[in-house]
Amino acid sequence: MRIALASAVLLLATAASSRAHATPPAPTGPHPRLLLDPELRATWKAQAKLPHGPVIGAIALCDDALHSKEHEHAQYQGSEWSKTLQGCLVAWAATDKEEYATTAIRYMTALLDDLDLLGDGKGGDASATRDSGYALRNLGPATALAYDWLYAKLTPEQRAHARGRWAAWLAWYADKGYRAHHPGSNYDAGYVYASTTIAIAQAGEAGPEGDAQWKRVADEVWGKELAEAFAPTGVLVGGDWFEGWQYGPLSVVELSTGERMMRAHGVALPGVDAWIAALLKRHVYALSPSDGQFVNGDTEDEKANVAPSVLTLDAIALGSGPADAKRWARGELNRLKLADKDYLLFDALAGVGDKPEVPPRATWPTWYLATNTQTLYTRASWAPTSVWFVASCEPELDRDHRHFDGGNFVLSRGADDVVVDPTPYGALGTLTTNAPTVRSAHFPDSYQPSQGSWGGSTWKWATQTASGVVAGRCDYANAYKFQERASDVPLALRDLVLLPSEDGTAATLIVVDRATTGGADRDLYLRFRTPGKLALAGAAAATTVGGTRLTITPYGRSSGTPAIGIPTMKDCFKDVTQGACDAARFPVTDYRVQISGPKAFAEHAISVTDASRGDGAVTTEPIAGAGWAGTRVTGTRDAVVLWPTDDEAKSLSYSAPRGARVTHVVLGAPETDDRATITAKPVGETCAVTVAAGGMIPAKPLVVTLDASCTVAVDRAAISAPSALADASPSGAHGGSGGGKRMLGCCEAGEPAGGPVVLALLVVGGLVTRRGRGRSAR
């Protein structure tokens, strides 16, 4: 009831926000109107006297363009000319040197009229249509900035020529451009930035069409489309980027810069400040202990985790967000020593503001759920030697460059990226990841045996406890939806339970996979991929990665024989069935097993420990009894992880060895309103435990500790790092159905659970359908 009420409140608030928006007057005042106010210019003039920095880089770039032919080729759809033009604009603003203005106009003219070589005259109205309109983000914003900043230096004919070209470009893109009006896509971000800069630059000077363009940008692009994207249920909330972080950095800095421009002219969106704060948090939590970034989508980089992007931090530092987030972004730019030679304007804007400060991450919670992508980022501690764990359970949404990987995860220990996702760019299958998959009977052959592009997955729960236990259940059955047909896979669940050591430098991950596949000939497929060279010893596998020992131990499965795979292809474009492709963009081996349907299950323990301790550092053994099954873990921590084998049982009784402090994780415990009661008593060397539905203990999942006398203590859910909208965005942990109850976040024993699996999964997931998987060059 509370969720339904909260949903209504949020939707009404979003609707009210849209209705309250009125078009502000067109910015017809004097030029410059875009960014370059007296304060910014004065700061850049001071920075031009420093020994280094983005302003110095812009001056050096424009000097090079003055004295060499290095920049005469357009490179990718005008990218080199756009870079050079923006550099010369910053150089001119910081020095007032006439030759920089002259050079800027030269490159502005090239972007308007040329195609590949300065002066070739082969560009024009059609030049923005290249790559389904991707070129617009190179052509439009840079020429609009030059028009605005150098307005007095342009002839009336030059200005009119630019306005005519922009009208043709924007009219084509609004009608035929790829992903126009689809916030959260990189193409739309480029269109938003171009249309925004052009609308402001030419306002009052382009006749009725110019007036209409301002109204479109203010009312439709920002007032409706992006207002919805930044609203509590929007696709941008949580700070992640659905297309992954090869495409995210440029997109978010374009949106942030565009919003800064619009805010200066009377259009402000309430959700932007929260989005900027969430961008900063996602950046922090998505960094591994060695500062590699989880990509979460397509990339051509040949590393497991890629270097963080200067543009993401620029977006935070130059945007309209909270002052703390801006200072912390500048602090991260300094700490990581990030700079960029291609987007010096953004760097120069980001370099203006309060003194940089490093985020106080050591005082922050150790887990964060990005509400839009439903990606769970966790770590045992903030120490550089800590275990870091990321898991994804992607909702149903129409976006490019996403992988079909509900239930995917990666695992690092300190500087060692041990379990990795080596999915190559453009892959359209699940076997390239660590996600489970089931063969669907109604998918086309080219999709088999992977998850598909029409559905999605849902966290049933996802949390981290005070002692560091991470537990998540991903339901990916809906990943086998085909177009408008419902999934033909009745049950597909992956449970992930991470059990870190007390010092956080080692961990055992329990992976429980269960599926009702729909047929004896429809199997469950599992892969666990590592840069190490796995070797089998019986059914278990092990390798060493850096200073980390990785062991993969099966302790129960319904069928199948484990094997080691060694992918030989680096991409999935060459004479392969996309759904069956298991290529890797960098060398890996994988542990793989295929489980027969129709009832398939498998349980694995994946341990990462100090290699110097040898293979005896962790032990796992299966345990079972009437109505339950599980495993016992020792080494990283003394724990039992178990689940009922009868889902309809109203109570669960089990026994487990006694110890000084044993963690018990019960997956799918009997519960009423997500609550259970647990009692335990000593029986010989064991604790006899009973779990019953109802009570005061959070049951999804149930995590407690038992001491040597079998006294029960609730392992409370740890405070999560909230998304910027956590207080206004109730959890929807059941997802999909719209009937879920809150069950995540920080809760004391006996208190209602709450947390960050957001309503977006319920509302957005229910309203938006996936319509295919276009792949683009950019």
Side-chain angles (χ1 to χ4, degrees), residues 256 260 276-277 280 313-333 349-350 352-357:
S256 180
R260 173 172 163 172
I276 293 290
L280 187 281
L313 293 165
D314 281 352
I316 302 163
L318 66 80
S320 302
D324 279 347
K326 293 154 74 76
R327 285 193 295 269
W328 292 335
R330 294 188 187 103
E332 284 291 273
L333 286 168
L349 291 169
V352 177
D354 294 340
K355 183 179 178 181
E357 295 178 8

Side-chain angles (χ1 to χ4, degrees), residues 367-370 374-378 389-392 459 462-463 470-472:
W367 70 290
Y368 178 69
L369 188 86
Q374 291 293 289
T375 304
L376 179 66
Y377 299 99
T378 73
F389 174 68
V390 180
S392 59
W459 285 117
T463 192
V470 178

